[in-house]
Amino acid sequence: MIAIVDYEIGNLYSISKALARLGEEVVITNQAQVIREAEAVVLPGVGSFGKAMENLEKKEIKEAIRENQEDGKSLLGICLGLQLLFEKSQEAPRKKGLSLLPGEVMKLPPTNKIPHIGWNRVYFKKDSPLTQDIPQGRFFYFAHSFYALPEESSMVVGICNYNVVIPALVNQDNIWGLQFHPEKSSVWGMKILENWVRSWKK
Amino acid sequence: MLVKRIIPCLDVKEGKVVKGVHFENIKDVGDPVELARRYEEEGADELIFLDITASYEQRETMIQVAEKVAEVLTIPFTIGGGIGAAGQVANLLKAGADKISINTQAVLKPELITELAEMFGSQCVVVAIDVKRTWDRINRRSYWEVFINGGRTPTGKDALSWAQQVEKLGAGEILLTSMDTDGTQAGYDISLTRKVAERVHLPIIASGGAGKLEHLLAVLREGKADAALVASIFHYRYFSIGEAKAYLQKRGIPVRVED
């Protein structure tokens, strides 16, 4: 069973449908216990950094996510969900992130139109289970104003270019983050989700 | 590099698509789900559904439309029309919509833009602006005036400064419709689109007047729009989305075409 963490706002329906389409059992939940019981967890991307962290702390979801991670279960952060994996964000300077990955979240430079909305090409810097059978330079759908800068460049698997290089796919051990929305990225987005499920499914 | 988007727009009344979309071999031409799926297959970058239902009570049907569409679609979609409260937005997003668009209520209660942006993030708040060139008798000059209530009510607001204001208030995108060109199929209002695009740092979706592929090219190039909203060209099958994108790509406009 895959647990999708519910922040009580925004579109969780699409990601749950996308995973269900792959034949997975999916539960949308804000219960720490359900998250502990899950085989893998999706941290979706809705709302703002500060609000999202508040919700995760209130319901003890933060601890459950950490325990899962120590148990070796896979965690997939999408969009804001990726940003929450890091230590802090310019969006809410006083709020600590989940701090599962070293690095911080920055505002996109003002030389660009913000938000970065639309389809952009993603290039992979190395092979990974999630990028199997996906050629270089495919289009994925982005919708964000902030982006994560990992401390170690070795964590960056995929990038996209928006006058600034945006880490689009990050990974460390069993933690995965996607800055784009795979559930909104047509065929290649579905392929990434399929690859993710395959990466932890026994 | 971020590519220019082509966005088919579907008008929905009481849960059915109106303004007859002419697909061959389609059983129910009014079914939003079937049409959405067709447009995704053809290469649409996203879709917009505009609720033109007159009565307030029947607006609830849009939530069911969103749910059914979200079940099959793997590209983003926006829902607009008659939205004026955060609760409504929460329900539409929960049902699977990626963005909502507000128009009349944004003018009447500008703080709504900020409220929605803070709650759900700017990226899902599209502000639609309906504009008509109007003669200002006092200053003896023409300007672009904002209209609300489906284009029936003039506001006296200048579209350029309103666009700047919605950016400050937290909008994520502007859906800019020229009422002068809308429905004419004679081309988008290039100068309006360009003026707004140069004035704000938000993505601009241009709307109103597309009848030929040249019009798409002009609004994306000279008009500096980030996306083009298209209705008749695709609905009446003058061209497919694939043909439109091939045309644009050949002329140097970056579009999402898998190579």
Side-chain angles (χ1 to χ4, degrees):
Chain A
M1 178 263 281
I2 301 171
I4 298 176
V5 178
D6 185 5
Y7 310 88
E8 286 147 31
I9 38 169
N11 175 5
L12 304 177
Y13 192 74
S14 300
I15 180 65
S16 78
K17 280 289 153 197
L19 290 166
R21 232 174 279 149
L22 295 170
E24 291 306 303
E25 192 196 330
V26 181
V27 179
I28 296 177
T29 183
N30 60 9
Q31 302 297 311
Q33 193 48 38
V34 178
I35 290 169
R36 284 194 189 94
E37 286 160 13
E39 291 168 83
V41 175
V42 173
L43 203 52
V46 286
S48 66
F49 192 93
K51 275 260 162 58
M53 279 314 301
E54 251 169 55
N55 279 336
L56 295 182
E57 283 161 9
K58 208 164 52 195
K59 309 258 184 186
E60 289 171 27
I61 295 170
K62 197 175 157 179
E63 291 72 25
I65 287 174
R66 192 174 282 279
E67 285 167 35
N68 275 11
Q69 201 254 325
E70 282 162 9
D71 291 347
K73 290 177 183 175
S74 195
L75 172 64
L76 177 65
I78 295 173
C79 196
L80 175 67
L82 167 153
Q83 297 170 12
L84 295 171
L85 301 172
F86 289 86
E87 293 159 306
K88 55 181 175 175
S89 171
Q90 286 182 347
E91 191 179 7
R94 281 192 210 105
K95 204 80 199 159
K96 264 190 82 173
L98 288 171
S99 306
L100 296 171
L101 300 176
E104 63 181 297
V105 178
M106 320 285 285
K107 177 105 182 156
L108 284 166
T111 44
N112 285 308
K113 289 199 175 192
I114 299 177
H116 174 217
I117 291 188
W119 298 80
N120 209 331
R121 291 183 189 271
V122 171
Y123 297 91
F124 304 123
K125 294 174 68 188
K126 54 182 179 186
D127 281 338
S128 91
L130 262 67
T131 60
Q132 292 285 306
D133 302 321
I134 302 176
Q136 291 286 6
R138 296 303 95 173
F139 289 103
F140 292 87
Y141 183 79
F142 291 80
H144 62 118
S145 304
F146 294 83
Y147 71 113
L149 273 184
E151 222 169 76
E152 313 275 338
S153 66
S154 60
M155 275 157 51
V156 180
V157 176
I159 53 161
C160 88
N161 221 314
Y162 189 50
N163 291 332
V164 58
V165 174
I166 298 171
L169 167 49
V170 300
N171 169 236
Q172 190 174 73
D173 305 323
N174 50 347
I175 303 172
W176 298 91
L178 305 173
Q179 184 55 68
F180 52 84
H181 285 271
E183 77 281 16
K184 292 291 163 180
S185 295
S186 198
V187 183
W188 299 115
M190 285 303 292
K191 185 72 199 167
I192 284 220
L193 288 176
E194 191 189 323
N195 286 344
W196 175 65
V197 170
R198 194 179 297 151
S199 77
W200 49 263
K201 199 103 190 167
K202 313 226 152 68
Chain B
M1 188 217 275
L2 197 62
V3 297
K4 303 277 186 181
R5 288 168 284 157
I6 301 297
I7 308 177
C9 176
L10 297 162
D11 287 350
V12 179
K13 194 175 179 186
E14 288 154 32
K16 289 275 173 194
V17 175
V18 292
K19 250 196 200 171
V21 180
H22 295 212
F23 273 111
E24 274 174 46
N25 312 318
I26 199 162
K27 280 190 218 106
D28 183 355
V29 289
D31 180 12
V33 176
E34 188 147 359
L35 293 175
R37 198 185 323 204
R38 289 291 183 102
Y39 278 133
E40 173 174 2
E41 278 167 19
E42 268 196 17
D45 294 309
E46 53 185 88
L47 296 175
I48 293 185
F49 295 90
L50 283 185
D51 186 7
I52 57 164
T53 307
S55 84
Y56 186 76
E57 295 75 43
Q58 279 157 327
R59 286 250 162 79
E60 290 296 303
T61 54
M62 230 28 205
I63 293 183
Q64 284 131 43
V65 169
E67 256 176 33
K68 285 189 207 139
V69 167
E71 221 161 291
V72 300
L73 220 56
T74 58
I75 56 171
F77 69 95
T78 303
I79 289 197
I83 296 173
Q88 242 178 322
V89 173
N91 288 337
L92 285 166
L93 297 178
K94 207 166 196 166
D98 298 283
K99 314 180 216 180
I100 54 83
S101 116
I102 50 174
N103 187 340
T104 303
Q105 294 304 319
V107 171
L108 299 180
K109 302 181 282 185
E111 67 278 10
L112 177 67
I113 302 172
T114 312
E115 185 190 350
L116 297 179
E118 278 172 3
M119 224 161 170
F120 309 105
S122 287
Q123 81 292 333
C124 72
V125 183
V126 181
V127 174
I129 307 180
D130 292 345
V131 181
K132 197 171 168 180
R133 205 183 253 282
T134 309
W135 182 250
D136 175 349
R137 270 183 277 177
I138 296 162
N139 295 313
R140 303 187 57 78
R141 60 172 186 106
S142 73
Y143 75 111
W144 281 294
E145 185 178 12
V146 177
F147 279 65
I148 55 173
N149 292 320
R152 290 187 299 274
T153 314
T155 65
K157 264 182 191 295
D158 174 68
L160 300 180
S161 47
W162 175 233
Q164 283 177 301
Q165 202 186 334
V166 308
E167 175 175 23
K168 280 201 201 88
L169 291 168
E173 275 179 294
I174 289 175
L175 168 55
L176 183 66
T177 302
S178 162
M179 292 164 59
D180 298 309
T181 57
D182 198 23
T184 63
Q185 295 185 30
Y188 296 89
D189 188 331
I190 304 298
S191 75
L192 166 70
T193 310
R194 186 183 180 118
K195 281 256 163 52
V196 174
E198 285 172 348
R199 216 44 108 75
V200 299
H201 296 94
L202 295 178
I204 306 293
I205 306 165
S207 152
K212 294 177 179 171
L213 298 183
E214 293 94 294
H215 299 153
L216 302 184
L217 177 65
V219 83
L220 295 172
R221 188 187 275 164
E222 283 85 50
K224 298 192 171 179
D226 300 279
L229 194 85
V230 186
S232 307
I233 293 185
F234 298 146
H235 297 342
Y236 297 113
R237 318 304 302 155
Y238 300 152
F239 297 97
S240 70
I241 299 176
E243 285 167 329
K245 285 190 165 182
Y247 172 90
L248 293 169
Q249 191 179 36
K250 214 170 147 191
R251 285 154 185 83
I253 302 289
V255 287
R256 183 175 66 104
V257 177
E258 297 291 357
D259 36 38

